[in-house]
Amino acid sequence: MTWDQGLHKGVTTLAAEDGTQTVRELTYLEAIRDGLRFALQHDPSVVLLGEDIGAYGGAFKVTQGLLDEFGADRVIDTPMAELAMIYAAVGMSFQGFHPVVEMQFADFISTGFDAIVQFAATNHYRWGQSVPITIRAPGAGGLRAGPFHSQSNEAWFVHTPGLKVVAPATPADARGLLLSAIRDPNPVIYYETKYLYRSLKGAVPEGEVTIPLGEAALRHPGEELSIITYGAMVHEAIAAATHLEREGHSIEVLDLRTLKPLDEAAILATARRTGKVLIVHEANRTCGVGAEVAALIANEAFAYLDGPISRLAGPDTPVPYSPPLEDAHRPGASAIITAARELLAY
């Protein structure tokens, strides 16, 4: 089975002939690198573009070693010009390539905004042209990097017709969603969480194992309250759910994984199952992804609710550089526990 065939059939697991699946323990960062390597190995149309991704190996060393393995024609160092590299990637996609563009930080994606929202996102509507580009955006906070290197700006692109947006929370999903993003005919913004790069390890299957875009994952089953989240907040939510279990509560955690298109069926199912919903994300609250999730639940599952739809998110301020201020700005397990207790008591 070729990689293209596997994706065409929606394959999410690929077992060997004896029924076994090779699984390795990788960090979140290593899983992304492994996904890039697999794509480069199995599809000659895949090319990487970005600032310092070649000899330097990328700002976070995600692409380290790929230049030596695949050469400068496929691992392409670019100038510090996000707009130019994204426009170049779009043009390459018209010629049959599948470019993967790295933003050093998700914050810098704003300088390429025109190429993404005005051009890449509109081509299929305008003249039926697919734009199979993937833009890797290392985002979110927790690393004391201040307001220009810690943003969670995914809502900009969730709001834009013609784009898909993913936000993996585990090493296995980081690899699987990346492979699906690269082969998707649409432009995909791939939000990877810097905080998880080296702090999180997990089992990652080898081979053509992909995660379909648009499918959420139930990370922790429960009956009393649902926490709906994505990215690094999935792990904070699971920690909160585990703590609340010791107090006798049953908390469900749903990982969205794909922010556009949302898995509406999974969102509505968990809301109807528990009757109480807490939506958590690191991005600032106003017009965040959580607002769309809340609106969906209010429209389609209102009769099942036993309490108000609650949201916990970053405040509407730039991300602080000061460690204690950033900790207060960024939702964590303790804040989730407090918000969940309030909703449980309603």
Side-chain angles (χ1 to χ4, degrees), residues 49-51 53 58-59 62-63 85 100-104 134 136 138:
L49 298 90
E51 301 162 9
I53 67 167
V62 174
T63 55
M85 70 175 76
V100 181
V101 184
E102 178 186 297
M103 302 287 103
Q104 279 195 349
T134 302
R136 291 180 42 236

Side-chain angles (χ1 to χ4, degrees), residues 1 5-15 180 208-212:
M1 179 184 293
Q5 288 173 327
L7 284 164
H8 180 71
K9 295 179 180 178
V11 175
T12 57
T13 58
L14 185 64
S180 291
E208 303 178 25
V209 183
T210 63
I211 306 295

